[in-house]
Structures are given as structure tokens and as C-alpha cells.
Amino acid sequence: MILSIESSCDDSSIAITRINDKKLLFHKKISQDSEHAQYGGVVPELAARLHAITLPKILEETKPYFHEFKAIAVTNEPGLSVSLVEGVSMAKALSVALSLPLIGVNHLKGHIYSLFIEGETTFPMDVLLVSGGHTQLLHVKNLDEIQLLATTMDDSFGESFDKVGKMLGLPYPAGPIIEAYAKKGDEKRFDFTIPLQGTSSSKLAFSYSGLKNQVRLCIESYENLDEQTLCDICASFQRIAVAHLMQKVKKAYKERNVEHFGVVGGASANQYLRKHLEAFCATKKAKLHTAKMEFCSDNAAMIGRCGVEMYEKGKFTALEALKVRSSSKDIFF
Ligand code: KG4
Ligand code: ZN
């Protein structure tokens, strides 16, 4: 069994994955959403302090399995340094106490493996990663060969939902709330412009800061927002945010085949986005892979599944070499 720990942002999570059949034997996550909600975003110092309280509590529940662990997998990059340190310190302490090897897992790779929890991998696969920290289009050959096809020039997809939510006075994380309001809104009422439409550059990229500013100006033009206008803003914003993603995805695969397409990350829970990706995959005769809703946002089950793959390939990291890193550009080729 592999014990896995995730604490890269504001979710404390621990899982146990059986090595031979990848079965998830234990999984628990304690989110800090309500603690950060009032600040309109994650406060790193507060997140770290809460991890220090919740991680040991969850670990306590895994005690009956302690003698069966073969390795400890832990997210060590990318993320908030002060948050990552909490999980990595716990992993190191366990590694010493139980004489077990350590596996440092990249959080982005973890998200990719959220598609394979309790199952086998389906590589090669093209993956759209949409989270609070990232918007990336990836061609994943295998665990170690990942090509970055496009990334964001500024805000990420999920972050744009959170920032628009903050402007509307909604609590963090605003993504699911905006999606819910959008369902009751008129998505054509506000004609925001799709970002980077006229770019002739052959370089694919995403951008969300301009759209965020358009929405800000729209909100500021109202003295008081009635419920229907709020819903219409959410629907119009979501339509353009997704249209931008879809335009770039379609461009990326105009002359490129794709058989397996995955969407991962917290914002991959968005049903409106999934619907558009379904339609795109249908035109390409590709299969759309999605994670179970509970494994879209950060969790240790995906870290454990990636950890099993790394265990099988002997990818361990020595205690003194396991470092926390806030960014991780070098996983791509
Ligand atoms: O993957 P995740 O849990 O954390 C990071 O690694 O960043 O993603 C969290 C992000 C937040 O920005 C949140 O607002 C967004 O995912 N999100 C959504 C939805 N559910 C979560 N964005 C749009 N629609 C949703 N339904
Ligand atoms: Zn994440």
C-alpha cells in the first residue's frame, strides 16, 4: 500500500492506495473553503496553520494500516510553499519513523492521474488542466513525457471565476457558485469579447485578465445588481470563458489527431465546459475522459494513484533531496 499526502493549497487530504490493483482503500479530505471564503482567496499563512491541525487528525485514522505501507507519496510541487511544507514534513517524519521510501509527486501529474483512480492509464492522452492555478493543454505520452501545447499568459480559468465572484461579492471558491447562477441566466445578455481572438501568432495561449476587466466594468456600471442581472452576468461570463478555451482547443487539434482527451482540475467539474468538450470530442471521434466529481479538485487519491505508478518505476526521492518548489516548469519537454 502507498500512503499519499496532499497539501499544496487549501485542501488537507490523505489516501491509501493498494499497489497491485490500484484500489483506493482510504481517502479523506478536509477543505478550508469556509476559512478562506471571507478573504476572497486563499491566505497562505492561514492555509499552512490549518494543514498543521488537520493533517495529523486524518493521519490518525490510517493507523490500522501503518504496518502495510510500502512507501509514502507526497505532493512537493507546485503549490504554495508554506502549504507544501506541511505535507512534506509529515511525509519525511513518517518515512524516518516507519523506514519507508519517499515519492515526491508533482501536483499537475497528480491531476492527470485523477482520471485513472482505481483503473489503468490510457496513454497517450491529450489533457486540458483547468484549476485555480493552471490552464494548460498537454500532450501526455506517459508519466515522464509531457508536452505543453498551451498555457495561460495571465490568470487561470478557475482563478477568473474566483475573481469575477469576488467582484460580485460571492465567497471563495466562486467557480461552482457562478456555474449555478449561470444556469438561471441569459448567456447572451452581455456581449463580452472572446480573448485573443485576432492573434495571428502561431503560438497557442490562453488569457483571462482582459475578460475579467470587461466583467468588472459591466458590474461597475450598475449601482445595485438585481438577482436576474447577477445571473445574466455569470452566464455571459461563463459562455465567453468557455468559448475562449474551446477556440484554442479546436485550433490546437485542427491538424492533429486525438483519440483520448481528458479534462482535469477543480474547474473540470463545470458541466457547461464538459458539454462543450463532449461536442468537440464527438467531432474528432475522440473519447472524453473525466474524473469523478469528488476527484476534480485537489485530493490525495490522485497523488496516491500517481505514487503507485512512480513506485512501480522505482522513482523514489532521498529524504534530503525531497524539496518543496512553488513552480515546476521542468516537467514538460
Ligand atoms: O484543482 P483545484 O481544486 O485547485 C488548484 O489546484 O488550483 O481547483 C480549484 C479551482 C478554483 O478556482 C475554483 O473556483 C474552480 O477550481 N472551480 C470551478 C468549478 N468548481 C471549481 N470553476 C468553474 N466551475 C466550476 N464548477
Ligand atoms: Zn490542483
Side-chain angles (χ1 to χ4, degrees):
M1 291 175 197
I2 302 276
L3 178 86
S4 55
I5 305 169
E6 157 65 37
S7 71
S8 65
C9 190
D10 61 337
D11 293 302
S12 315
S13 182
I14 294 182
I16 299 172
T17 311
R18 197 156 61 198
I19 294 166
N20 59 357
D21 59 359
K22 283 90 181 168
K23 192 164 170 46
L24 186 61
L25 301 175
F26 173 91
H27 174 232
K28 187 154 184 179
K29 157 168 154 166
I30 298 179
S31 293
Q32 307 171 356
D33 289 350
S34 57
E35 284 87 350
H36 297 283
Q38 56 176 311
Y39 304 107
V42 177
V43 181
E45 162 70 12
L46 174 61
R49 265 189 287 137
L50 292 169
H51 284 311
I53 298 167
T54 49
L55 282 174
K57 267 195 204 155
I58 307 176
L59 185 69
E60 183 103 46
E61 294 183 40
T62 68
K63 260 182 160 173
Y65 299 98
F66 264 35
H67 60 288
E68 296 186 70
F69 297 154
K70 290 277 182 281
I72 314 285
V74 62
T75 308
N76 67 316
E77 60 173 15
L80 300 170
S81 301
V82 288
S83 288
L84 287 164
V85 160
E86 294 299 327
V88 168
S89 302
M90 173 178 266
K92 286 187 174 181
L94 282 167
S95 152
V96 172
L98 303 173
S99 301
L100 292 172
L102 281 167
I103 301 171
V105 179
N106 180 289
H107 183 76
L108 307 183
K109 289 188 181 181
H111 272 301
I112 296 169
Y113 277 78
S114 68
L115 299 171
F116 313 126
I117 290 169
E118 300 207 308
E120 296 304 320
T121 55
T122 325
F123 294 136
M125 182 185 271
D126 287 77
V127 177
L128 178 66
L129 166 60
V130 274
S131 68
H134 296 85
T135 309
Q136 292 177 336
L137 189 58
L138 308 165
H139 178 63
V140 186
K141 282 193 184 168
N142 54 49
L143 173 71
D144 298 313
E145 290 176 282
I146 302 177
Q147 187 183 2
L148 180 67
L149 303 179
T151 187
T152 182
M153 291 158 52
D154 39 61
D155 294 344
S156 76
F157 180 77
E159 188 180 8
S160 72
F161 278 70
D162 296 332
K163 288 185 173 169
V164 165
K166 194 173 180 183
M167 294 176 212
L168 290 167
L170 304 174
Y172 171 88
I177 308 170
I178 290 189
E179 185 183 6
Y181 277 124
K183 286 200 178 108
K184 298 182 274 176
D186 171 6
E187 64 171 27
K188 296 277 171 64
R189 174 156 166 205
F190 299 101
D191 210 7
F192 302 126
T193 319
I194 300 176
L196 304 182
Q197 264 200 106
T199 44
S200 53
S201 155
S202 57
K203 194 172 176 291
L204 273 178
F206 303 106
S207 168
Y208 280 97
S209 68
L211 175 59
K212 173 191 69 188
N213 284 330
Q214 288 183 61
V215 179
R216 182 176 54 77
L217 292 174
C218 172
I219 296 168
E220 285 173 3
S221 69
Y222 288 87
E223 238 170 70
N224 286 306
L225 280 183
D226 59 88
E227 172 92 6
Q228 191 55 53
T229 305
L230 176 79
C231 293
D232 295 346
I233 291 175
C234 289
S236 304
F237 158 70
Q238 180 178 259
R239 175 172 68 89
I240 301 302
V242 170
H244 173 46
L245 269 187
M246 294 313 305
Q247 252 186 17
K248 297 299 171 192
V249 167
K250 282 176 192 161
K251 189 172 175 190
Y253 298 98
K254 205 165 172 212
E255 280 151 25
R256 213 183 152 107
N257 283 334
V258 51
E259 205 180 323
H260 295 284
F261 192 92
V263 61
V264 299
S268 72
N270 187 294
Q271 297 301 319
Y272 184 85
L273 170 62
R274 285 187 178 198
K275 206 180 72 190
H276 281 77
L277 287 170
E278 285 279 6
F280 161 73
C281 285
T283 64
K284 296 296 280 185
K285 295 192 170 48
K287 181 173 165 34
L288 179 67
H289 298 256
T290 53
K292 273 191 186 166
M293 290 301 262
E294 62 177 312
F295 301 130
C296 289
S297 57
D298 296 347
N299 65 84
M302 66 187 197
I303 302 304
R305 179 62 188 84
C306 188
V308 167
E309 185 101 0
M310 292 178 74
Y311 177 88
E312 285 171 340
K313 293 191 158 77
K315 291 181 169 292
F316 303 107
T317 312
L319 188 101
E320 58 283 2
L322 186 65
K323 302 242 164 36
V324 156
R325 292 198 303 173
S326 56
S327 64
S328 67
K329 289 198 179 72
D330 55 357
I331 63 161
F332 307 116
F333 66 84

